[in-house]
Amino acid sequence: QVQLVESGGGLVQAGDSLRLSCAASGRTFSSIDMGWFRQAPGKEREFVAAVTRSGGTTSHADSVKGRFTISRDNAKNTVYLQMNSLKPEDTAVYYCAAGRYSSIMMKLRADYWGQGTQVTVSS
């Protein structure tokens, strides 16, 4: 079992930055791949970014590439999502996830989820 707790969401204006954090517990953090997903109102949950257990490989959805950056600190059992140049269309609940990274699909297959944190970007 893995427990995930997100923090860092909030209300910002277009063009602003936010950094989301996700603290993990319950399993050796350095043995699991991590990622972020988001779900906007009326839409399906979508992949945002993933990082492998060592931190050596990352992938980002095309919609956030160049603006968002995923990273992890295995000493702190924490994964981050740095979000720059935020747009109103980035408004969603952001979920931290733990699972297995697919190098073929360049996405995370999630087995565990956090409770989510709301990010709202006003125009």
Side-chain angles (χ1 to χ4, degrees), residues 13-18 66-68 82-88 90 121:
Q13 293 187 332
D16 286 351
S17 298
L18 272 178
R67 300 187 299 121
F68 292 11
Q82 178 66 44
M83 305 186 294
N84 298 329
S85 302
L86 282 160
K87 304 176 181 179
D90 294 318
V121 185

Side-chain angles (χ1 to χ4, degrees), residues 42-107:
K43 295 188 177 181
E44 293 187 354
R45 191 173 299 189
E46 65 174 358
F47 169 78
V48 175
V51 59
T52 55
R53 57 201 66 188
S54 69
T57 298
T58 62
S59 67
H60 299 78
D62 288 343
S63 59
V64 306
K65 204 168 289 184
R67 300 187 299 121
F68 292 11
T69 303
I70 190 171
S71 63
R72 65 189 294 160
D73 185 337
N74 285 350
K76 296 183 178 180
N77 290 358
T78 301
V79 62
Y80 304 97
L81 185 68
Q82 178 66 44
M83 305 186 294
N84 298 329
S85 302
L86 282 160
K87 304 176 181 179
E89 51 263 43
D90 294 318
T91 295
V93 177
Y94 283 72
Y95 296 91
C96 177
R100 291 195 176 207
Y101 178 72
S102 168
S103 58
I104 296 175
M105 305 232 3
M106 298 181 67
K107 293 182 178 181

Side-chain angles (χ1 to χ4, degrees), residues 98-120:
R100 291 195 176 207
Y101 178 72
S102 168
S103 58
I104 296 175
M105 305 232 3
M106 298 181 67
K107 293 182 178 181
L108 186 79
R109 189 193 72 188
D111 295 315
Y112 303 97
W113 297 92
Q115 82 287 352
T117 186
Q118 177 71 46
V119 172
T120 303

